[in-house]
Structures are given as structure tokens and as C-alpha cells.
Amino acid sequence: MIRLALALLLAASAALTPLAVAQATPAVPALSPVTTADEDAAPVRIVLETLSPAIPGERSTLRIRGRVVNASDTVIEDISVQLRRSSLPLPTRADIDTAADAATEAEGREPTDVPLPGTVIEVTDRLPAGEFASFSMRVPVSSLGFTEPGAYAFALEAKGREPGVDEFEVRQGMLRTFLPWFPRGAAVEPVSLAWLWPLAGWPAQSVSGVLLDNQTPEELQPDGRLGELVTIGQRHQATVSWIADPSLLQTIQGMAQGYRVVQDRTIVVGTEDAAAATWLEQVARATRVTGVQTLPYADVDASSLTQAGMSTDVVRAVTQGPRVASTALGDQTDGQVYWAPFGRMDQPALDVLASAGVTTVVLSGDAMPATDGQAVLDGQAIAALPTDAGAIRAVLTDPGLTRLLAAPPRTASEVITTRQRFLAETASVALTLQEAGAPDRTLVAAPPTPRWTAASTLLTPLLRATRSAPWLQPVTLSELLTEPTPTTSRRRGGYGEKARADELTRRYVAAIARANEDLSTFTSIIDNPTGVTEPFSEALLRASSSAWRSQPATGTELLESIQVDLDAQTAKVRVLSEGAVTLSGDSGKVPVTIANDLDRSVTVGVVLQGRPSLRLDSRPIEGVQIEAGKMASVDLSARVVGGDPLAVDVQLLGPDGEEYGSPAEITVSSTAYARAAAWVVALAFVAIVVFVIVGIVRRIHKARMASSRTAAGT
């Protein structure tokens, strides 16, 4: 009761003379000695539901609403909540890190924290284990005692006691956040803030346009990932900078005209064509304000492909991206950007991208740290990247802001603390740069990957707050890219074993390479491959997407479906011949029939391959043209060695002599060896007959001679 009376007295004095209280609090230590409970145990969790306004003004009233939750296994009594703040603004981002994780004040400053008189409220006399109690308070900002502009550490402290354990009230829990304070007229040079707003997905679409799963249709819903991204971006279209994957736009454009999707291992007609049309129309309207930068088609994994010697695939993705995006949106795009997976890039891939025409790469600021002795670097968002094709620009995202946007907050309390942390970090950068006398600088806020989940509960109020914050001014990516590149000396961060291990696996990329070779062979025999090559090559680029780093099983499923479709198309040009062929001599003609079930003419070669090859002598025939849906027959000259039947493969060939498709199997034998064998048998029979006759004659002759000698002796 004594503590309650003291709290009421202080609250009354704060209400009567808020300015006096505000001026006195920075130098006031804790109101009374308070024993601090082990914060790691956190018997009580404080959950925020409202903290408004995010950026308070001098005449504002701070509104706070939340709950205290008993996370322990015992009753806690006399629970109260009190506000605390740091005595001075936190000068650096390192101090903000420290304050978020531990104390409410940067290390080395006194006093370490300041409890705010008049902000103690009784929440409940008794809170059983596992239960919660709500609280709310309204505090005039003028009574908080802010003195200097900047970002203050701000905390809600829960006190209470465990019956039979605590004699006095102790700290039972603490929720730490931040509160920026920039009164009207505060001298601060605003920092430019660019928001990168990527639209990308997991391009699981087969050669024939069938979606392999329902992920994209679900994400197009108003509460889906892509639906929320566009809705939020539309509301702040003058602030955000759109970056889109052309393959996503192409897929959704196709969906708007009707689509098929795999559900429960069955291909069915999709039902979200109207949602697709609406989404694409929203994107087209929103991007007319600030334009849209495009990623290479399907956001291919440039490092993985270049490492495997498939740089031509990277070039193809870069060159066809703007055309596909312009077709989908009905307008020209503003430029092309490559978003490095996880913010890092190896030099060979950079060289390929630059040679293909990419002029901008999005990297993490950690990937290009400054060399020793450089000035403050926060806010240097552009850097030069040397390549074999000349220098290109790196847009450096702010690592701290990226971490805050990496995962969507799960609760209202996380939304509030993330929002306030974002505002505090940008405010700290603005003041740090101003004190250092740095020229105009820019921060780039971006997610860690183009495939991100934007929580409207966080981003809508955060975007609104960043537009009204006096220390920030919005800038678009297009505007940023017109600025001169700073001459600050930087070094490239490493691209080591971990970065290489995060790439698409070598086995997977090798399978893509084999499919590309099969596609090249297939299209090489088609007299006019227009309209045949594109669906397969685009599907293989989709299989090469960096998206499959996070969903390798779906990537494998996509690649396997492409190979099945390619094998099926390849098999439409095939050899029909089968069975046995008998040559009238040791050489002759082998008739071969070839079928073309494609919808266009082809030109092939054909060759006979003996098993073993030493027993067959045959030359291939080239330039056999077969019209669409027709068959053609040719005769191949062949000479067979040996009398036994010979297994022969009838193999189709491409224009450069490469094998095409699977061979047909026939058996070839020669009658020449059969006739020779008959003569041998006949001669052997005659020889035997002669031998027998000679033997008989000799025996008769011997018998006669013996008889003559007997008669003479008699």
C-alpha cells in the first residue's frame, strides 16, 4: 500500500506539472532499490498490443496497451508495470544492439536506466501460472523527459513477488523496445531511404504450362504472399521500387487466360484465373508511377550455372527477361537488376552478367566492406564492381534493416518492436552521419531474398512512419542509380565454401545440362523449330532458378517433368523397322522406315550399328526429309561378316552426326554363308562316298589277290 500511495502521488505530480517532471527525470536514479530477478528465467512476459504513436511529437500522448503473462509454474502477486527509458539517446547502432539484448542504456553511461515517475500501474493482485492480465496507460510525451533528439531505449518493466520467496517486489520481466524523439525544429539532415520491393516466386511450371502445385494461385489471394505485396506496394507506390521476375509475370498472365494445375497427382482446370487477372492489373497500375526493374528470367542462379560452364543460359535469361516482362505488363521496363542470392556473388558469374548487359547487382553491404581507414560507411548504398566487361554498379542493402525484414513477425508485440527497432536504427544512422559531416547518404531497405513474405501488419505502419520521419526522405531505385558512384575504397567479401555449398547442387545442374543437350539435338532435326524451342528453353531456365535452393524437391520434380516431355517429343521421330532381315549374299540392302509424328517436317540421317561392329560394314545416309505426320523408307547398303545372325541398331542421326533418340533393333543375316556351307557338306559327302568306294575296291582287290595266291599254292 505504501508503494501504491507513492505511485499515485508521483502520477498526480506528473499530471499537474509534466514539464517539471520531464526535466527532472534524466538525473533521477531508480525510485527505490529494486532487486532484479534473473531475466533469463522471465517469469512474466510482457506482450504489447498497442504503442502509438510510433514517432511521438511534443504534444502527443503515448498510448500503450498490452498484457502480462505468467510464464512460470507458480502464482505471482502484486504485479505492476512501469515505463523505463535510457537517460540519453543511443548514439550508435552498436548501442542499439546492446540495448535490445541487455540493458536499457548504452554501456558506460550513468545512470544505466531511468524509471519514469508517474508511469507505474497496478495490473493485478494475483496472477496464477499460465494466465494473463491486460493493462493500458496513456502518458503525455512531455512527461517522459526527453532532452536530445535521437533514438531512446524504451522498456516496460513488470514487477511482482512470488509468495513465500520474495520479501520485496522484484523485476519479473522486461520488454525492451525503442522510441525516437525528434521535436519540431530539431536540426537533423535526413537520410534517403530506398525500399526494394521484389516480386518473385517459385516457378514450378512445366513445358506445357501446367502448374506443378497450387502455391502461386494461393499466393495471389488478397491475404496471400503476392497479394499482400502488391496491395501494400500500391498504397505506397511513390515510395517502393518494384523489381519483378519476368517468369512470374508470364505465368500469371497465362493463368488469367485459363490454366491447369496438378492437384492430388491429377491435372485439373485451375479456378483462380480472375484473381490472376486482377493481380496483374494491379501490378501494371502500380508500376506506372516508379517503373519496374526486371530480374533475369526466372531469377536464374548465375553462380551455379557459370560454375558448371553454362554461361549461355545466364545470357539467355538476361536477354529475354525485359521482353517477357514488357509483354506481360504492356509497357517497357526501366532496367535490369540481378539479385545475388544471400547477398553475395562470385567474380566469374559477375563477368558473365556484365557481358550479357546487366548493369546493376543487388548485394548485401556485408559483401563489400570498406578497407581500413575509411570514413563512416552507413548510407553508402552504391559501389563500383569491376568486371571483364567494365565496371557495373552494386546496390548495397543495409544488413541491419535486412535482418529486421527477414522473417514476418508472428505477434502484434513483434510487429511493434520490429517497427520501433527499424525507426531507431535509421535515426541513429542519420545522426551519426550528421555528426561525421558526411555528404548525402542513402539506406537501402530490402529483404534477404526476392521471394519474401511481407506482413501488412508490419510494413503498412512502417512505410507510413518512414514517410513522416523527419530524419528520412524516400528515394526510388531509379533515382538512386542516377547518383555518381562513391570513390570509397572497398574490398570484395569472400565467396567461400559455405556460399558455394548453398548453390544448386552439381548433380542437379548436370541434369539441366543434359536436358539442354537433348533439346539441342531434338530441335536440330526440325526444319522450322520456331515455337518448339521456346517452351522447352524457358522451362529449363525455370528449372535453373535460384528459388530451388530453398525448395530442391520441387526443382527436381520440375526438371524431371521437363525431361519426360522432351523424351516424348523426341520419340515422335523414330524408326519403325523391326524383326529380321536376310541378305541374299554377304552384302545387300537393309530397308528402314522412319515415322515423323510431329506437326512439322524434319531432316534426319540414319545409320546401321552392328553388335559387334566388326561384323557389319555400312555407311550412313544423310538428309532424309520427312513431312509432318508422314513416313519415309530408305535402303541402307550393308555387308555382313560371318554366318550367324547379327544384332543391329538402326540409329537416327542429327545434322552433325550426333545420335538422335533411341535406336530400333533388328537382326541381319546373310544367305551367302548358308550356300557355302551347303557346298562344303556336299563335297564332304562326295569325299566320304569316294573314300568308302575306294575302301571297298581295295578290300575286293585284296580278297582276289588272296584267293589267287591260295589257288597257286594248291
Side-chain angles (χ1 to χ4, degrees), residues 337-411:
V337 171
Y338 185 79
W339 195 301
F342 302 105
R344 292 184 178 271
M345 196 88 217
D346 61 338
Q347 189 62 47
L350 277 174
D351 293 337
V352 171
L353 289 167
S355 67
V358 171
T359 58
T360 304
V361 175
V362 177
L363 295 175
S364 169
D366 290 337
M368 294 192 70
T371 56
D372 293 340
Q374 291 299 318
V376 177
L377 283 177
D378 274 330
Q380 286 197 356
I382 297 290
L385 275 175
T387 73
D388 290 346
I392 62 176
R393 288 167 297 188
V395 174
L396 304 178
T397 62
D398 185 271
L401 302 185
T402 294
R403 282 191 291 271
L404 294 175
L405 299 175
R410 296 165 296 178
T411 65

Side-chain angles (χ1 to χ4, degrees), residues 202-212 247 250-252 254-255 259 297 538-539 542 548 558 561-562:
W202 287 265
Q205 186 177 29
S206 71
V207 175
S208 59
V210 175
L211 301 181
L212 301 187
S247 73
Q250 181 188 55
T251 296
I252 296 176
M255 288 177 59
Y259 69 99
Y297 185 87
E538 288 180 353
R542 292 194 290 271
W548 309 128
L558 171 61
S561 76
I562 295 170

Side-chain angles (χ1 to χ4, degrees), residues 6-18:
L6 178 59
L8 291 173
L9 177 61
L10 289 170
S13 64
L16 292 173
T17 57

